[in-house]
Amino acid sequence: MIEKRIWLGLAAALLATPPVFAETAAPGKADCSVAEFAMGLRFQQQSAEIQALQLQAYNIATEKLDKAVAAAKDPSKLAIVTDLDETVIDNSALLARDLANCHQYDAWDTWLPWERDGMPRLIPGAKQFLDRADKLGVTIRYISDRADEQKKYTLATLSKLGLPQVSEQSVLLLGPPKVERRAIVSADHQIIMLLGDTLHDFDARFRKTPLDAQRNTVAEEAGKWGVEWIVFPNASYGTWSKAPLQGWEAEPVVEPW
């Protein structure tokens, strides 16, 4: 899901800029502070591991979906709620463009044009899972913090990608907090699964709370991960971005491997 008010950053912030990025960065900007995001964004966009993790998440989601439908008297009363950005669609091309131009993209001042004119890619496994839910008669609700005033562009993008059940009613964009939008869905459906890349896609306790509290809630809800809550990896931005790294306090000893 993209959260436009989330600060970006990566654990790799302390690593030197990789040579590949240095070749693509805008000329004359050797002190580009955005370069610290390069390693995480490269993992998010280019690694085979991210593809495997995304497919793994959708495989788990499909298994849980099939079991819920098999146990239901009326599958039309069931609903899945999914985030969009970095859960169903991949916006890394925008971030990579801004990164190459040393543009601090956590300001999200290039996001609205991307919503209008950009073409995100599908996350691996997303369409197959959503098509299966649609075929089984399960209601799909897309809950995202994309701009509601630009809803027509998001609807057009999702339709162009061939996603099922895309309509004014099924796509709930930024306005009330996500917990309130989920309540709209649960008013007449049983939500059997939540999918997202940011923890407040799952529970309001994760919204605008310290990392320690978030970690405690993750542990308290251990039984829901991979069962009711399917979380997708996102190494390009998140509430963890400004957290200090904790290193080994011993003096460095360098020796050949």
Side-chain angles (χ1 to χ4, degrees):
M1 140 108 73
I2 204 161
E3 306 303 331
K4 293 185 284 184
R5 292 166 176 81
I6 291 178
W7 291 97
L8 310 185
L10 300 164
L14 300 182
L15 297 175
T17 304
V20 172
F21 173 75
E23 294 172 3
T24 61
K29 296 188 177 180
D31 60 344
C32 174
S33 63
V34 191
E36 66 181 6
F37 306 146
M39 186 65 77
L41 187 55
R42 184 175 287 109
F43 175 80
Q44 188 72 24
Q45 186 185 76
Q46 296 295 332
S47 73
E49 286 83 355
I50 200 77
Q51 180 182 2
L53 289 168
Q54 290 161 339
L55 289 170
Q56 176 177 265
Y58 275 117
N59 285 342
I60 293 170
T62 300
E63 178 185 352
K64 301 305 178 184
L65 172 68
D66 289 348
K67 287 183 178 179
V69 169
K73 292 182 179 179
D74 183 0
S76 69
K77 297 297 184 182
L78 305 180
I80 57 172
V81 171
T82 182
D83 176 46
L84 286 174
D85 301 303
E86 280 49 78
T87 300
V88 171
I89 54 179
D90 173 0
N91 303 283
S92 61
L94 168 66
L95 309 184
R97 190 278 309 272
D98 287 354
L99 189 72
N101 287 305
C102 291
H103 184 80
Q104 194 74 27
Y105 59 88
D106 59 356
W108 300 113
D109 53 1
T110 59
W111 180 254
L112 292 178
W114 170 255
E115 281 188 357
R116 294 193 299 270
D117 302 320
M119 192 58 197
R121 299 183 302 176
L122 283 166
I123 295 290
K127 189 174 187 308
Q128 293 87 338
F129 169 74
L130 294 168
D131 282 344
R132 183 168 185 80
D134 182 52
K135 183 178 180 180
L136 291 171
V138 175
T139 295
I140 300 169
R141 291 292 181 262
Y142 302 96
I143 294 183
S144 165
D145 280 350
R146 285 179 159 234
D148 191 55
E149 63 271 19
Q150 297 203 132
K151 189 170 185 175
K152 67 178 182 180
Y153 298 108
T154 291
L155 291 175
T157 295
L158 300 181
S159 296
K160 188 179 292 186
L161 289 168
L163 296 175
Q165 299 188 31
V166 172
S167 69
E168 285 279 350
Q169 294 71 36
S170 68
V171 179
L172 306 177
L173 301 182
L174 185 61
K178 286 191 172 185
V179 63
E180 294 182 22
R181 283 174 274 166
R182 291 193 293 268
I184 293 171
V185 181
S186 61
D188 51 10
H189 289 84
Q190 177 192 350
I191 298 177
I192 57 171
M193 198 182 313
L194 301 174
L195 300 93
D197 68 299
T198 302
L199 292 181
H200 79 266
D201 290 331
F202 305 99
D203 194 289
R205 287 173 292 170
F206 292 114
R207 187 170 184 263
K208 297 182 178 180
T209 54
L211 277 175
D212 284 347
Q214 292 184 22
R215 284 191 282 262
N216 288 338
T217 303
V218 167
E220 289 167 6
E221 300 293 356
K224 291 184 178 178
W225 305 109
V227 180
E228 301 171 38
W229 297 351
I230 310 296
V231 65
F232 288 77
N234 183 358
S236 53
Y237 58 88
T239 56
W240 40 265
S241 63
K242 299 301 178 183
L245 295 173
Q246 297 178 352
W248 186 24
E249 295 181 358
E251 289 295 321
V253 176
V254 179
E255 59 185 68
W257 178 255

